[in-house]
Structures are given as C-alpha cells and as structure tokens.
Amino acid sequence: MMAQLASGYYTWTFFPTRNAPGIPARFDLSALPGKTVSYFISEQGPSKFMPGDNFAKLISQIQAAASTWNNVASSDLRVAFGGLSSVGSATQSLPGIDVVFDDDMPPGLEAYTRPVFGANANGFVPIQRAAIHLRSDLTVKQQASYTASYFLTVVHEFGHALGLQHSLSSGVMSTWTRATTKARPLSDDDVAGLAFLYPAAGFSDATGAITGRVAQSGTGVNMASVVALSTTTGKAVSALSNPDGTFRIAGVTPGQYYVYARPLPLALG
C-alpha cells in the first residue's frame, strides 16, 4: 500500500507488507544523464493571465522555482529545463517532469502533482514521470506568476515531483504554515528531505540521525509525525513513523534536540 497522505519530510512511500518499513520513491539517478532530471513546460500555456502577466514571465518564474532545488548542496540530484512540449506528443524516453495547465482541480487546491511509479528496485520505487498541474485560468484565484505565493506554490509542486510529500515543519512542503519566503524558499526540513532521497557524497558524514519508536500502551503507532527541534537554533527536521512505530530522522546536524510526536492530521491537498 502506498501512503498518499504522508506528512514529514516525508516521501512518497510504499509499504510492501502491513508491518514492513516504508520504501521511498525517487528518481533513479543512474538513469539520468549527469544525475539531472529534465522538466518540460506545455506550450499550451494558461488561457487567462492577471494584468501585467504573460507566458514568458510565467516560464521564467517556473524556471526560477525549479532551480531552487539545485541549491541543496547535500543532494546529488539536479533539475534542468528541457524546453516546451506539446500535449499529446510522444512521451520522453527518459524519466522526467511535465508542467501542464488545466482547471480540473480538486476543491481548495491551486495546483497538484501526479507521479507515475515503476517497480520496486534496489530498495526504492523509481519515479518514471511526474506531472505538475497548474491552473490554466490564473484569474480564478488571482494567481499572478510574479507573486511570492505563486512562486512558492511552484517550488512546492516541484518538491512533490522529486519525491517529497507534505510536511508539518513550516517548510515549503508544508500545507499548514510556512516560515519560508521567495528569498529563502527552503527550510532545513525541505533540505534534509531532498538529501535523504538523493544524498551527496559526505552527507552521512556531516549529519546524524535520530531513531526511536512511537507507541501507545505498548503498541507501535503508524504514521505519527515525529519532529526533532534544535535546542539552540529552533530549526526543525521531521519524519514519519513506520507501521511498527519505529522512526528515523536523518540529516540532522550535531547538537541537542527536543523530540516530540503528534498524530497525522487530515490532508489539505
């Protein structure tokens, strides 16, 4: 079963059996030239723009949002613009990301991302393709591409496309609160999440991990949000517990932490 409503730095996660630890989903770096995943923007751009906005400006903002994930030095994955693409054209031969525009959005959502997964291989489930859906009519929720809110939404959706799920730690992957800005779009939780999926050389040497188990009356608690909060910086990194209640928060820098758990809330999109 796949956990579609995870919260953490949490990844798209598959559980091979009821009690087994989750297997993360990510792009297979060995299948990507230069460990770089390309994204393609549909040439059938939005149908309506806010005043002062246009397709060229939108493309530049999407490119800037995608490149945000290239600033994670502890990650080996890089993201590159592959060009414009035609809806319905031949599928790209390599794994990648497609940015498309439509208005078939679930209630309350400004955008959503839909990955396509392959078969489990070498301890992870490969992402074969991911489609980022943005609104075609940008006037519906007054989504001007040059605003900080739209920029952070696109950064968030690229995070989903790369393998990250929602978080409770106020990063760009959070749907609850965000302590991030256009100038500093990624939190420590976002950085740790990407590095967990695509660790660069030396990542494990420079950081540590906090492990434990969440239990209630002796029974392990599945999908609890476990947060490690630095006692000196106040920065938070989090993870999701396994079916048996065990958890592992990787990517934490040396120091002292408060660790607390809370139940997983209902997803907001």
Side-chain angles (χ1 to χ4, degrees):
M1 180 179 73
M2 186 177 71
Q4 291 261 14
L5 303 178
S7 208
Y9 66 64
Y10 309 128
T11 66
W12 299 97
T13 304
F14 290 79
F15 295 98
T17 64
R18 181 179 294 274
N19 296 314
I23 299 173
R26 63 173 174 82
F27 282 103
D28 184 356
L29 292 182
S30 65
L32 300 173
K35 300 181 180 179
T36 300
V37 59
S38 295
Y39 65 94
F40 301 84
I41 300 174
S42 171
E43 63 183 13
Q44 287 78 35
S47 59
K48 294 181 181 179
F49 291 92
M50 291 293 292
D53 204 2
N54 57 46
F55 194 29
K57 292 179 180 179
L58 176 65
I59 290 174
S60 69
Q61 290 300 308
I62 292 174
Q63 290 177 306
S67 67
T68 293
W69 294 102
N70 290 334
N71 297 327
V72 180
S74 51
S75 165
D76 252 1
L77 179 72
R78 291 297 176 264
V79 183
F81 180 44
L84 298 179
S85 65
S86 221
V87 174
S89 61
T91 304
Q92 300 288 333
S93 60
L94 293 175
I97 301 169
D98 299 297
V99 180
V100 299
F101 306 95
D102 66 62
D103 292 316
D104 185 19
M105 297 283 172
L109 292 189
E110 297 179 357
Y112 70 92
T113 297
R114 180 173 294 167
V116 175
F117 304 101
N120 177 23
N122 300 319
F124 69 94
V125 174
I127 300 174
Q128 295 179 331
R129 204 81 190 168
I132 297 175
H133 293 253
L134 304 176
R135 283 192 180 275
S136 177
D137 185 350
L138 299 184
T139 66
V140 171
K141 290 197 172 184
Q142 298 186 332
Q143 292 182 295
S145 68
Y146 46 78
T147 62
S149 61
Y150 192 84
F151 176 85
L152 291 173
T153 294
V154 178
V155 175
H156 176 101
E157 296 305 326
F158 267 97
H160 282 322
L162 298 178
L164 295 178
Q165 264 281 15
H166 291 149
S167 170
L168 296 178
S169 297
S170 297
V172 78
M173 296 311 299
S174 173
T175 57
W176 296 82
T177 60
R178 286 182 187 171
T180 56
T181 64
K182 191 172 184 177
R184 188 181 181 276
L186 301 182
S187 70
D188 285 65
D189 193 61
D190 301 316
V191 169
L194 195 71
F196 165 76
L197 290 175
Y198 310 100
F203 170 68
S204 59
D205 296 332
T207 61
I210 297 174
T211 62
R213 183 172 181 261
V214 181
Q216 185 174 20
S217 301
T219 302
V221 177
N222 184 24
M223 297 182 75
S225 173
V226 188
V227 182
L229 183 68
S230 171
T231 61
T232 55
T233 66
K235 294 179 179 179
V237 181
S238 53
L240 188 71
S241 65
N242 291 307
D244 63 355
T246 59
F247 67 87
R248 185 176 189 272
I249 305 174
V252 294
T253 55
Q256 292 185 327
Y257 290 82
Y258 295 113
V259 179
Y260 62 94
R262 54 188 169 185
L264 191 67
L266 295 176
L268 291 182

Tab-separated table of all heavy atoms in Angstrom, residues 99-127:
chain	number	residue	atom	x	y	z
A	99	VAL	N	5.142	19.950	-16.897
A	99	VAL	CA	4.334	21.012	-16.305
A	99	VAL	C	3.209	21.334	-17.280
A	99	VAL	O	3.464	21.748	-18.413
A	99	VAL	CB	5.179	22.276	-16.032
A	99	VAL	CG1	4.315	23.369	-15.403
A	99	VAL	CG2	6.360	21.948	-15.123
A	100	VAL	N	1.974	21.107	-16.842
A	100	VAL	CA	0.817	21.316	-17.714
A	100	VAL	C	-0.159	22.274	-17.034
A	100	VAL	O	-0.090	22.518	-15.824
A	100	VAL	CB	0.119	19.983	-18.053
A	100	VAL	CG1	1.067	19.054	-18.790
A	100	VAL	CG2	-0.403	19.315	-16.786
A	101	PHE	N	-1.089	22.811	-17.835
A	101	PHE	CA	-2.048	23.795	-17.333
A	101	PHE	C	-3.464	23.300	-17.565
A	101	PHE	O	-3.830	22.976	-18.702
A	101	PHE	CB	-1.827	25.145	-18.036
A	101	PHE	CG	-0.406	25.634	-17.933
A	101	PHE	CD1	0.506	25.369	-18.949
A	101	PHE	CD2	0.031	26.323	-16.815
A	101	PHE	CE1	1.819	25.799	-18.864
A	101	PHE	CE2	1.341	26.756	-16.714
A	101	PHE	CZ	2.243	26.500	-17.740
A	102	ASP	N	-4.233	23.231	-16.507
A	102	ASP	CA	-5.640	22.858	-16.624
A	102	ASP	C	-6.392	23.411	-15.422
A	102	ASP	O	-5.788	23.905	-14.467
A	102	ASP	CB	-5.827	21.344	-16.748
A	102	ASP	CG	-5.423	20.589	-15.491
A	102	ASP	OD1	-6.039	20.830	-14.438
A	102	ASP	OD2	-4.490	19.755	-15.545
A	103	ASP	N	-7.697	23.338	-15.462
A	103	ASP	CA	-8.523	23.849	-14.376
A	103	ASP	C	-9.335	22.753	-13.702
A	103	ASP	O	-10.285	23.037	-12.967
A	103	ASP	CB	-9.461	24.956	-14.892
A	103	ASP	CG	-8.691	26.206	-15.299
A	103	ASP	OD1	-7.786	26.606	-14.541
A	103	ASP	OD2	-8.973	26.768	-16.374
A	104	ASP	N	-8.963	21.515	-13.955
A	104	ASP	CA	-9.645	20.383	-13.315
A	104	ASP	C	-8.974	20.123	-11.975
A	104	ASP	O	-8.250	19.140	-11.793
A	104	ASP	CB	-9.582	19.153	-14.218
A	104	ASP	CG	-10.380	17.987	-13.655
A	104	ASP	OD1	-11.239	18.241	-12.792
A	104	ASP	OD2	-10.141	16.843	-14.084
A	105	MET	N	-9.210	21.037	-11.024
A	105	MET	CA	-8.559	20.986	-9.723
A	105	MET	C	-9.528	20.511	-8.649
A	105	MET	O	-10.685	20.933	-8.623
A	105	MET	CB	-8.040	22.385	-9.330
A	105	MET	CG	-6.980	22.947	-10.235
A	105	MET	SD	-5.384	22.184	-9.903
A	105	MET	CE	-4.423	22.873	-11.268
A	106	PRO	N	-9.039	19.644	-7.740
A	106	PRO	CA	-9.873	19.302	-6.578
A	106	PRO	C	-10.180	20.568	-5.778
A	106	PRO	O	-9.414	21.536	-5.814
A	106	PRO	CB	-8.987	18.336	-5.787
A	106	PRO	CG	-8.037	17.772	-6.796
A	106	PRO	CD	-7.784	18.898	-7.764
A	107	PRO	N	-11.291	20.614	-5.070
A	107	PRO	CA	-11.676	21.808	-4.306
A	107	PRO	C	-10.579	22.265	-3.355
A	107	PRO	O	-9.981	21.461	-2.643
A	107	PRO	CB	-12.914	21.345	-3.522
A	107	PRO	CG	-13.471	20.220	-4.326
A	107	PRO	CD	-12.291	19.539	-4.944
A	108	GLY	N	-10.294	23.562	-3.377
A	108	GLY	CA	-9.327	24.143	-2.459
A	108	GLY	C	-7.890	24.115	-2.919
A	108	GLY	O	-7.025	24.721	-2.284
A	109	LEU	N	-7.597	23.431	-4.026
A	109	LEU	CA	-6.216	23.332	-4.488
A	109	LEU	C	-5.906	24.379	-5.545
A	109	LEU	O	-6.752	24.728	-6.367
A	109	LEU	CB	-5.931	21.946	-5.054
A	109	LEU	CG	-5.933	20.767	-4.080
A	109	LEU	CD1	-5.420	19.524	-4.785
A	109	LEU	CD2	-5.110	21.059	-2.842
A	110	GLU	N	-4.678	24.884	-5.497
A	110	GLU	CA	-4.196	25.796	-6.525
A	110	GLU	C	-3.359	25.058	-7.567
A	110	GLU	O	-3.147	25.555	-8.668
A	110	GLU	CB	-3.372	26.912	-5.886
A	110	GLU	CG	-4.182	27.793	-4.932
A	110	GLU	CD	-3.349	28.880	-4.295
A	110	GLU	OE1	-2.125	28.911	-4.542
A	110	GLU	OE2	-3.916	29.698	-3.559
A	111	ALA	N	-2.868	23.877	-7.190
A	111	ALA	CA	-2.045	23.062	-8.083
A	111	ALA	C	-1.946	21.674	-7.466
A	111	ALA	O	-2.240	21.482	-6.288
A	111	ALA	CB	-0.650	23.670	-8.242
A	112	TYR	N	-1.537	20.695	-8.268
A	112	TYR	CA	-1.280	19.369	-7.718
A	112	TYR	C	-0.290	18.650	-8.628
A	112	TYR	O	-0.076	19.031	-9.782
A	112	TYR	CB	-2.565	18.557	-7.550
A	112	TYR	CG	-3.230	18.103	-8.834
A	112	TYR	CD1	-2.944	16.857	-9.404
A	112	TYR	CD2	-4.160	18.915	-9.478
A	112	TYR	CE1	-3.561	16.441	-10.574
A	112	TYR	CE2	-4.784	18.510	-10.646
A	112	TYR	CZ	-4.482	17.266	-11.193
A	112	TYR	OH	-5.094	16.863	-12.356
A	113	THR	N	0.324	17.599	-8.083
A	113	THR	CA	1.332	16.840	-8.829
A	113	THR	C	0.980	15.365	-8.773
A	113	THR	O	0.606	14.841	-7.725
A	113	THR	CB	2.730	17.068	-8.223
A	113	THR	OG1	3.067	18.453	-8.343
A	113	THR	CG2	3.778	16.234	-8.951
A	114	ARG	N	1.120	14.708	-9.921
A	114	ARG	CA	0.769	13.294	-10.023
A	114	ARG	C	1.967	12.514	-10.570
A	114	ARG	O	2.265	12.572	-11.757
A	114	ARG	CB	-0.449	13.123	-10.915
A	114	ARG	CG	-0.906	11.682	-11.097
A	114	ARG	CD	-2.219	11.635	-11.850
A	114	ARG	NE	-3.298	12.231	-11.081
A	114	ARG	CZ	-4.495	12.560	-11.588
A	114	ARG	NH1	-4.726	12.368	-12.872
A	114	ARG	NH2	-5.417	13.088	-10.819
A	115	PRO	N	2.664	11.743	-9.721
A	115	PRO	CA	3.779	10.927	-10.200
A	115	PRO	C	3.294	9.583	-10.760
A	115	PRO	O	2.232	9.088	-10.396
A	115	PRO	CB	4.633	10.702	-8.943
A	115	PRO	CG	4.031	11.564	-7.883
A	115	PRO	CD	2.604	11.769	-8.268
A	116	VAL	N	4.103	9.013	-11.638
A	116	VAL	CA	3.892	7.657	-12.136
A	116	VAL	C	5.100	6.842	-11.683
A	116	VAL	O	6.253	7.241	-11.906
A	116	VAL	CB	3.779	7.629	-13.676
A	116	VAL	CG1	3.684	6.197	-14.177
A	116	VAL	CG2	2.569	8.438	-14.127
A	117	PHE	N	4.835	5.703	-11.040
A	117	PHE	CA	5.903	4.930	-10.433
A	117	PHE	C	6.190	3.647	-11.207
A	117	PHE	O	5.299	3.088	-11.856
A	117	PHE	CB	5.539	4.560	-8.988
A	117	PHE	CG	5.201	5.750	-8.127
A	117	PHE	CD1	3.890	6.083	-7.851
A	117	PHE	CD2	6.207	6.544	-7.606
A	117	PHE	CE1	3.574	7.171	-7.059
A	117	PHE	CE2	5.913	7.642	-6.818
A	117	PHE	CZ	4.589	7.957	-6.543
A	118	GLY	N	7.427	3.177	-11.078
A	118	GLY	CA	7.814	1.908	-11.657
A	118	GLY	C	7.819	0.820	-10.600
A	118	GLY	O	7.295	0.998	-9.503
A	119	ALA	N	8.443	-0.308	-10.913
A	119	ALA	CA	8.500	-1.433	-9.984
A	119	ALA	C	9.640	-1.239	-8.990
A	119	ALA	O	10.668	-0.625	-9.305
A	119	ALA	CB	8.698	-2.731	-10.751
A	120	ASN	N	9.459	-1.754	-7.784
A	120	ASN	CA	10.469	-1.646	-6.735
A	120	ASN	C	11.808	-2.206	-7.219
A	120	ASN	O	11.875	-3.299	-7.761
A	120	ASN	CB	9.993	-2.406	-5.493
A	120	ASN	CG	11.021	-2.393	-4.376
A	120	ASN	OD1	11.872	-1.526	-4.328
A	120	ASN	ND2	10.925	-3.360	-3.483
A	121	ALA	N	12.866	-1.419	-7.031
A	121	ALA	CA	14.196	-1.847	-7.468
A	121	ALA	C	15.255	-1.271	-6.542
A	121	ALA	O	15.282	-0.071	-6.294
A	121	ALA	CB	14.465	-1.379	-8.904
A	122	ASN	N	16.105	-2.159	-6.009
A	122	ASN	CA	17.253	-1.730	-5.206
A	122	ASN	C	16.855	-0.886	-3.996
A	122	ASN	O	17.530	0.090	-3.661
A	122	ASN	CB	18.249	-0.951	-6.075
A	122	ASN	CG	18.785	-1.778	-7.224
A	122	ASN	OD1	19.079	-2.961	-7.055
A	122	ASN	ND2	18.903	-1.178	-8.399
A	123	GLY	N	15.753	-1.245	-3.359
A	123	GLY	CA	15.381	-0.567	-2.126
A	123	GLY	C	14.629	0.732	-2.290
A	123	GLY	O	14.419	1.446	-1.307
A	124	PHE	N	14.218	1.080	-3.507
A	124	PHE	CA	13.394	2.261	-3.704
A	124	PHE	C	12.470	2.019	-4.887
A	124	PHE	O	12.676	1.112	-5.695
A	124	PHE	CB	14.245	3.513	-3.938
A	124	PHE	CG	14.988	3.520	-5.254
A	124	PHE	CD1	14.444	4.130	-6.385
A	124	PHE	CD2	16.245	2.933	-5.374
A	124	PHE	CE1	15.117	4.129	-7.600
A	124	PHE	CE2	16.932	2.937	-6.578
A	124	PHE	CZ	16.365	3.534	-7.696
A	125	VAL	N	11.437	2.832	-4.968
A	125	VAL	CA	10.500	2.745	-6.080
A	125	VAL	C	10.793	3.901	-7.030
A	125	VAL	O	10.708	5.066	-6.634
A	125	VAL	CB	9.042	2.817	-5.583
A	125	VAL	CG1	8.075	2.861	-6.744
A	125	VAL	CG2	8.738	1.633	-4.677
A	126	PRO	N	11.178	3.616	-8.277
A	126	PRO	CA	11.555	4.697	-9.189
A	126	PRO	C	10.361	5.520	-9.669
A	126	PRO	O	9.301	4.973	-9.977
A	126	PRO	CB	12.216	3.949	-10.362
A	126	PRO	CG	11.615	2.581	-10.321
A	126	PRO	CD	11.348	2.281	-8.882
A	127	ILE	N	10.550	6.821	-9.703
A	127	ILE	CA	9.572	7.710	-10.333
A	127	ILE	C	9.875	7.719	-11.822
A	127	ILE	O	10.965	8.091	-12.250
A	127	ILE	CB	9.661	9.142	-9.767
A	127	ILE	CG1	9.390	9.140	-8.260
A	127	ILE	CG2	8.674	10.065	-10.483
A	127	ILE	CD1	9.594	10.496	-7.612
